[in-house]
Amino acid sequence: MPEVKQSILSSLNKRLDLVKPGAIRAFDNEISSIPDILKLTLGEPDFNVPDHIKQAAIDSINNDDSHYAASNGKIELRQAAANFLKDRYDLDYDAQEEIIATVGATEAIYTVLTSILNEGDKVLLPTPIFPLYIPITIIDGAEPVFMDTSANGFVLSPEMLKAAIEEHGDKIKAIVLNFPSNPTGVTYTAEEVQALADVLRDTNIIVISDEIYSELTYDAKHASMAKYLPEQTILLNGVSKSHAMTGYRIGFLAAPAPLVARLGLIHQFTITTATNSAMVAATEALSTAAGKQDTLDMKAEYQKRRDYVYDQMTQLGFTVPKPNGAFYIFAKIPAELSQDDVAFARDLAYKNKLALIPGSAFGPGGEGYVRISYAASMTTLQEAMKRLGEYIEESAQA
Ligand SMILES: Cc1ncc(COP(=O)(O)O)c(C=O)c1O
C-alpha cells in the first residue's frame, strides 16, 4: 500500500478533524465480531422490497433507461411524491418547481444544510436526535446547538424553543425536527406541531422537517410541519422506511420554489441526479394502490412487535416513553444496573450477546438509555428479550 505523506494528510479539510465517525456504525462494527451476537442496532426494515416494486426497477433496466435523468429527478417520481404528500398529509407542492428527488433522505440532509448554512450559523437540534445532522452542520462551518428534551417526554416544547431563540438570537439559521423520532419513537401531535410553528413564524429560522418515518405512526395520523408553516419548512421524506427500500437510496425534499431553486444547485453539484431504476421503483412505491398497501401491511407487523417489546421491556424494569411511531424503543436502563449506557450496552453485548445502541450516541438526554430497533422478526425479538431478561437476572445476582 503506498504511503501518503504526512504533509498531505495534515493539509486536508480541517473541519473533518472536528467530526467523529458515526457512533451507531462504530458501535455496530465493534460488537459485530462477537460470535452469535444478536443485533437490534441498525435502523432498517427487515422486510424485502415488494415484488411489484422490484419489477419496476427490473423493467427500467431492461428498457434501457440508462441516460441521465433531469437533475431534480424524473418528473414521474416528483409527481408521485407531490401526489403522495397531497393524499396523505394534504400538502400542496408543485412537482416541477418544488420537489427534488435525492439519494436517500441522507443526501437531502446534506443538500439542505450545505445550501443554507454560512460560517458561524447555528442549527438548533432537539436531542436525543438522529446524529447525522451534527457532522454535516460542522463540516459546513456552522455550530449545532442542542436542546435536551428528555425532561419533557422527548418532545420539544414551545417554551424550550423560545428560550433557545432568546439565547442564540439571529445566529440561528435553522432547526431540525424529526418526528416520528429516531431514536425515541415519540412523535408530535398536531397541536404540538402547530405550537412550534407559531413560535417559528415570527423568526427567520428555516425548519428542516425530517419526516422519513411519517408513514409509520401507530396511534394517530401524522401531522406534518409543512401544513402549519409551509413558507419556512423544507420537508424531507423518502421510501427507505415506508417501503423497506434503504438500499435503493431514494428520498425527496419539498419546499417553496425559490428555496428549491437554491437547493437544486448543491444537489446537482454533488450527485447530478439519482439512479434511474431506483427512481422508477420509488415511483411505483409511491403512486400505486399496492404501494400504499405495502406500508400498511408492514406497519401492522411493526405495531405487533412494538407492543411486544414495549411490554417485555417494561416488565423487565425499563422505563419506556410511549413509542407511537417509527420502529424504535428508547428505554431507560433500570436504576439498579449501570447507568453508563455505553458500559451497559458493551457488557450486554459481550456477556449475553445482545446488541443495542447506547443512548448517548444520540446527544444530550440520551445518557442512561438504550435504543432498540424492533425492525426484526418476532422470533428474533423473542430471543432478544430472553437474552435481556437473562442478563438482568445474572446482573442482579452478581
Ligand atoms: C431520522 C432519519 N433521517 C434520515 C435517515 C436516512 O434515510 P435514508 O436511508 O433514506 O438516507 C434515517 C435513517 O436511519 C433516519 O433515521
Side-chain angles (χ1 to χ4, degrees):
M1 207 193 279
E3 199 153 307
V4 182
K5 281 187 218 149
Q6 197 50 46
S7 50
I8 291 182
L9 284 176
S10 61
S11 70
L12 303 182
N13 187 336
K14 291 273 176 290
R15 289 183 186 149
L16 284 176
D17 298 340
L18 306 173
V19 298
K20 295 190 218 91
I24 303 178
R25 288 248 167 215
F27 186 77
D28 188 67
N29 286 344
E30 180 191 331
I31 50 81
S32 289
S33 58
I34 301 173
D36 300 326
I37 187 85
L38 194 163
K39 298 199 293 181
L40 299 181
T41 46
L42 293 184
E44 75 168 337
D46 57 313
F47 297 109
N48 290 326
V49 173
D51 284 342
H52 68 107
I53 298 177
K54 287 187 207 167
Q55 193 57 50
I58 293 165
D59 291 347
S60 154
I61 293 168
N62 286 338
N63 292 336
D64 293 317
D65 181 7
S66 53
H67 300 280
Y68 289 124
S71 180
N72 284 355
K74 283 177 174 278
I75 188 63
E76 296 82 0
L77 173 56
R78 284 185 276 155
Q79 191 60 60
N83 294 347
F84 164 87
L85 293 173
K86 179 72 188 165
D87 175 48
R88 307 290 211 282
Y89 313 119
D90 195 26
L91 303 176
D92 293 296
Y93 286 103
D94 177 66
Q96 195 71 41
E97 308 268 335
E98 298 186 312
I99 293 191
I100 301 178
T102 56
V103 179
T106 299
E107 189 248 317
I109 294 167
Y110 177 81
T111 288
V112 171
L113 288 170
T114 305
S115 304
I116 67 173
L117 291 177
N118 288 309
E119 180 120 25
D121 283 346
K122 296 188 177 188
V123 177
L124 297 180
L125 299 173
T127 60
I129 197 164
F130 177 57
L132 178 68
Y133 318 110
I134 303 168
I136 301 179
T137 296
I138 294 171
I139 286 168
D140 285 330
E143 187 192 327
V145 173
F146 300 126
M147 297 175 290
D148 178 352
T149 63
S150 56
N152 192 46
F154 299 112
V155 170
L156 178 69
S157 68
E159 291 71 32
M160 288 161 73
L161 176 57
K162 279 186 206 154
I165 293 173
E166 209 145 280
E167 187 180 343
H168 299 280
D170 290 345
K171 285 264 177 223
I172 306 168
K173 174 60 63 69
I175 180 170
V176 178
L177 295 174
N178 164 233
F179 56 92
S181 156
N182 174 9
T184 66
V186 167
T187 196
Y188 286 55
T189 64
E191 292 71 31
E192 286 164 342
V193 178
Q194 181 157 20
L196 294 179
D198 288 345
V199 175
L200 291 160
R201 190 167 293 112
D202 296 331
T203 71
N204 290 325
I205 299 172
I206 296 170
V207 186
I208 302 169
S209 195
D210 182 344
E211 303 183 17
I212 187 86
Y213 296 100
S214 62
E215 288 291 277
L216 301 177
T217 56
Y218 304 111
D219 303 323
K221 205 171 172 319
H222 175 74
S224 176
M225 179 51 88
K227 189 75 204 153
Y228 299 96
L229 196 62
E231 65 278 19
Q232 271 165 256
T233 299
I234 301 174
L235 178 64
L236 314 186
N237 213 316
V239 291
S240 297
K241 317 292 175 171
S242 59
H243 291 81
M245 290 171 67
T246 46
Y248 281 58
R249 309 305 306 126
I250 297 294
F252 56 88
L253 61 84
L259 286 173
V260 164
R262 305 297 289 176
L263 303 176
L265 296 175
I266 293 290
H267 168 76
Q268 183 182 124
F269 302 151
T270 313
I271 63 127
T272 303
T273 181
T275 304
N276 287 356
S277 53
M279 287 199 276
V280 171
T283 307
E284 171 76 16
L286 291 175
S287 64
T288 60
K292 193 170 180 175
Q293 190 58 42
D294 295 332
T295 307
L296 294 175
D297 293 345
M298 292 181 204
K299 188 166 105 161
E301 276 303 310
Y302 289 136
Q303 189 158 356
K304 279 190 225 154
R305 300 165 183 189
R306 174 201 68 161
D307 292 344
Y308 170 72
V309 177
Y310 179 78
D311 287 349
Q312 293 289 311
M313 301 277 303
T314 310
Q315 279 170 31
L316 288 172
F318 288 83
T319 313
V320 185
K322 185 80 177 135
N324 42 19
F327 38 64
Y328 306 104
I329 277 185
F330 204 60
K332 179 94 183 65
I333 302 167
E336 61 278 15
L337 300 174
S338 168
Q339 293 299 295
D340 176 339
D341 51 287
V342 177
F344 173 88
R346 204 171 263 138
D347 200 43
L348 175 64
Y350 282 98
K351 286 194 182 141
N352 290 65
K353 304 194 186 307
L354 175 63
L356 313 176
I357 297 289
S360 55
F362 304 96
E367 306 85 356
Y369 285 79
V370 280
R371 187 195 75 174
I372 293 105
S373 166
Y374 57 83
S377 74
M378 204 55 158
T379 322
T380 303
L381 294 173
Q382 282 161 349
E383 176 61 24
M385 291 302 114
K386 182 168 154 271
R387 292 185 190 191
L388 186 59
E390 285 164 358
Y391 175 80
I392 290 177
E393 208 166 295
E394 287 156 21
S395 303
Q397 285 160 8

